[in-house]
Amino acid sequence: MAVEENCDHNCENCEENCESRAPQKDKLNELSSVKKVIGVVSGKGGVGKSLVTSLMSVTMRRRDARVAILDADVTGPSIPKMFGLKERAQGTENALFPVTTKTGIDVMSLNLLMENETDPVVWRGPVISGVIRQFWTDVIWKDIDYMFVDMPPGTGDVPLTVFQSIPVDGIIVVTTPQDLVSMIVAKAINMAKLMNVPVIGIVENMSYYVCPECGAKNYIFGKSSVEETAKDFGIKNVSRIPINPDLARECDSGLIELFNGDYLDDMADAVEKI
């Protein structure tokens, strides 16, 4: 007999792992509308999650989609700088309003609320998790087709909060060519599987360098095993971002919306098919 037929809806002494025990997703503000939520994750820091979040957002915006970025990397927010955002986010007693970039991408980040963007965020996990939940529930996200969530590194409190509180439709895993990172990628993918979140694809950042003189590809960090890792987990979509000084300058200058490259077009196609 099915568990539901014998269920008295009292979970206190019940050990069954049924849908009634699943964490409830937080509700959006009644004035908000978000169709798809994509998490950008990695098992470690410094691999380029914010870069991939930014490039994917710009790419989808160029396809005339309404795009938003929820910066969940509360202790290391870099999204506002990449987009050259200087103004503070405004709000009322009941809601916050995202800051909009030059091309029309809505952004909410802790750095848009702080008086000084260089002030450290010395908060414990539960406080950080609460802020991220408020970014989802209290911000007015108007008519968003795709929201990209720039996740903090690892598989701890904050990524768990995002997966449990926000209806994530899929994740993009970011990596670099070193062999060690393959193990870290596996951790991120396995966490997503535990949370029943599909993996859209893997993006390998700093994959190679193109010689400006002869056009040859140089694999500075060695050829990666990203294809094998993707195959092992049944992931079909793999994209690569080269080491590009122009891209680095655009990030540092707040001009990421001007980037030139088709590195993530295939990944954008996969996002559209969710």
Side-chain angles (χ1 to χ4, degrees), residues 89-184:
Q90 303 298 314
T92 66
E93 287 186 8
N94 301 316
L96 288 168
F97 301 97
V99 175
T100 303
T101 71
K102 296 179 182 67
T103 62
I105 298 171
D106 288 343
V107 177
M108 179 51 69
S109 171
L110 187 64
N111 263 15
L112 299 176
L113 298 172
M114 299 182 70
E115 186 173 340
N116 187 345
E117 66 178 15
T118 60
D119 288 343
V121 178
V122 189
W123 296 345
R124 294 190 182 276
V127 177
I128 296 174
S129 296
V131 169
I132 292 169
R133 294 177 70 175
Q134 284 185 293
F135 282 176
W136 173 252
T137 60
D138 295 2
V139 175
I140 305 298
W141 302 105
K142 288 190 175 180
D143 302 321
I144 301 301
D145 296 314
Y146 301 99
M147 172 183 283
F148 291 93
V149 182
D150 186 11
M151 303 272 269
T155 55
D157 281 352
V158 177
L160 186 61
T161 294
V162 172
F163 284 135
Q164 289 185 332
S165 303
I166 299 175
V168 178
D169 295 284
I171 66 166
I172 295 171
V173 181
V174 185
T175 182
T176 53
Q178 296 93 331
D179 286 339
L180 174 63
V181 179
S182 297
M183 178 188 68
I184 305 299

Side-chain angles (χ1 to χ4, degrees), residues 17 19 28 31 39 50 76 97 148 156 194 203 214 242 254 260:
N17 187 23
E19 291 184 1
L28 278 172
L31 299 177
S50 296
F97 301 97
F148 291 93
L194 285 173
V203 175
C214 65
N260 182 29

Side-chain angles (χ1 to χ4, degrees), residues 14-67:
C14 178
E15 296 181 356
E16 294 293 340
N17 187 23
C18 66
E19 291 184 1
S20 298
R21 298 177 65 90
Q24 297 299 306
K25 305 295 184 183
D26 290 342
K27 291 184 179 180
L28 278 172
N29 186 292
E30 61 182 8
L31 299 177
S32 295
S33 173
V34 179
K35 294 178 182 176
K36 297 293 181 183
V37 180
I38 312 300
V40 181
V41 310
S42 180
K44 69 185 295 294
V47 298
K49 291 182 301 299
S50 296
L51 174 64
V52 172
T53 299
S54 300
L55 294 181
M56 285 298 302
S57 299
V58 173
T59 300
M60 299 308 294
R61 184 73 190 103
R62 289 176 180 176
R63 298 185 179 197
D64 293 325
R66 285 283 299 159
V67 182

Side-chain angles (χ1 to χ4, degrees), residues 6 76 102 127 176 187 190 201 209 243 252 264:
N6 290 326
K102 296 179 182 67
V127 177
T176 53
K187 289 180 180 291
N190 285 329
Y209 175 73
I243 298 171
D252 292 341
L264 298 179

Side-chain angles (χ1 to χ4, degrees), residues 238-259:
V238 176
S239 296
R240 292 177 174 82
I241 301 175
I243 298 171
N244 186 338
D246 291 336
L247 190 57
R249 281 192 293 270
E250 288 162 353
C251 290
D252 292 341
S253 304
L255 299 173
I256 192 64
E257 288 165 293
L258 299 180
F259 94 91

